Amino acid sequence: MPDKVSVAMGQGSSCWGCFQSLVDIHMNLADVLPQLDIKFWAAVADFKHEHLEEYPDGSIDIGLYEGMARTEEDVHLLKVMRDKCKTLISFGSCSTFGGIPGMANFSDIEECYDVKFRNNKTVKGGEVPTENLPPITDVVKPNKDYVDFDIYLPGCPPTSDLILKALTALLKGEDIELPPHTVCHYCDREKEDTPIPEVLRPYQGKADPDRCLLEQGYICLGSATWGLCEGQCVNKGAPCRGCFGPPPPIHDDQGAAGISMLGSYAPIEPEEILEQVKDPLGTFWRFSYPTSHLGSMRIKREEANDQ
């Protein structure tokens, strides 16, 4: 690669927190930024989509796409990024799995409009806006269904250490080495392989700081989650919520793996588990519903309705 690496950064529908987390590499930015030739980054400068479209195909070294594709404009930008960038990185869990916005697939688009516009007390008139807005897709499809990615860097958001590691490798023209371990690999807590008598919510009781949280009854998705965070939450006392998605091969069903692990630790009748786990979809598929088996069935049903 030349002295400077050309980069384009595109945003789909998301909170934009992944790109904000770039700033968390702090003083290392002083080393990284001079090596980048930023061709497109609408989050920080007045770039328009046509500016990106004007570049020849394959002329930009690296592209990072953050967010999922909820609007037709998101889908267009995603495809343009793929055309223009030699290496396209899926940046963050929304881009890689659908993320929290992907939970909108629990409802159909009209129900989403009811919550967001028609029955929202903060919206005047209760009308769904139609002017100066790109059309909204009927369902959240995984970005990988629209384009191929070369690298996946999940996380909600990716950690500053992970971002710095990836950027450093890319600037050197090296492959990014990502350990395949789950969060449990990095957890310092002791496992005794004891069954749990009941499922606890995070605010119930007082967790033993030295024992596996799942064995104590707290739903921890560490065994079903890629440990690129290196166990930050579990080692600080919070159960893993699964924000880095499933480990490689990363588009396996994270929620199914989490439920399976809970079932193996809890000798409780299914009806009782269902009663104790108050929000199964939101608990086990919070970050990866569109790429899960259930999520793919939901997308196929929507596509069948459109035919």
Side-chain angles (χ1 to χ4, degrees), residues 30-146:
D31 298 324
V32 170
L33 285 179
Q35 301 181 62
L36 301 180
D37 178 12
I38 298 177
K39 300 294 189 183
F40 179 84
W41 194 4
V44 298
D46 189 22
F47 287 107
K48 307 300 183 186
H49 285 183
E50 54 262 34
H51 297 146
L52 180 64
E53 293 164 353
E54 289 171 354
Y55 287 105
D57 287 356
S59 63
I60 299 174
D61 294 318
I62 297 169
L64 292 97
Y65 189 89
E66 179 217 59
M68 50 87 175
R70 179 81 253 198
T71 70
E72 292 184 10
E73 184 178 75
D74 296 335
V75 176
H76 173 71
L77 176 60
L78 179 58
K79 292 180 177 178
V80 173
M81 289 282 291
R82 176 66 280 180
D83 289 341
K84 307 302 176 185
C85 301
K86 298 173 187 172
T87 298
L88 184 61
I89 299 174
S90 177
F91 192 54
S93 288
C94 289
S95 179
T96 305
F97 310 110
I100 288 178
M103 290 196 293
N105 283 3
F106 295 168
S107 307
D108 64 34
I109 190 63
E110 292 301 323
E111 292 170 327
C112 292
Y113 287 151
D114 287 342
V115 172
K116 179 64 178 177
F117 300 109
R118 297 186 183 115
N119 301 326
N120 190 330
K121 295 181 180 179
T122 65
V123 177
K124 290 184 177 179
E127 297 292 331
V128 178
T130 56
E131 295 184 5
N132 302 318
L133 290 175
I136 297 176
T137 60
D138 288 338
V139 69
V140 177
K141 292 174 61 176
N143 288 348
K144 68 179 183 62
D145 287 7
Y146 293 110

Side-chain angles (χ1 to χ4, degrees), residues 192-206:
E192 299 177 359
D193 292 327
T194 54
I196 63 175
E198 63 176 333
V199 176
L200 300 174
R201 305 194 76 177
Y203 61 82
Q204 292 179 300
K206 185 176 181 180

Side-chain angles (χ1 to χ4, degrees), residues 108 138 298-307:
D108 64 34
D138 288 338
R298 167 75 180 87
I299 293 169
K300 289 178 181 176
R301 187 180 68 189
E302 191 66 40
E303 291 174 338
N305 290 337
D306 291 339
Q307 293 178 354

Side-chain angles (χ1 to χ4, degrees), residues 17 22 72 92 96 98 145 150 185 215 223 229 278 280 297:
L22 277 170
E72 292 184 10
T96 305
D145 287 7
D150 302 292
H185 175 83
E215 289 186 355
S223 65
C229 61
K278 301 302 181 184
M297 293 172 62

Side-chain angles (χ1 to χ4, degrees), residues 158-173:
T159 65
S160 55
D161 287 346
L162 177 62
I163 292 171
L164 182 60
K165 178 180 179 181
L167 287 176
T168 301
L170 289 168
L171 290 172
K172 292 180 178 177

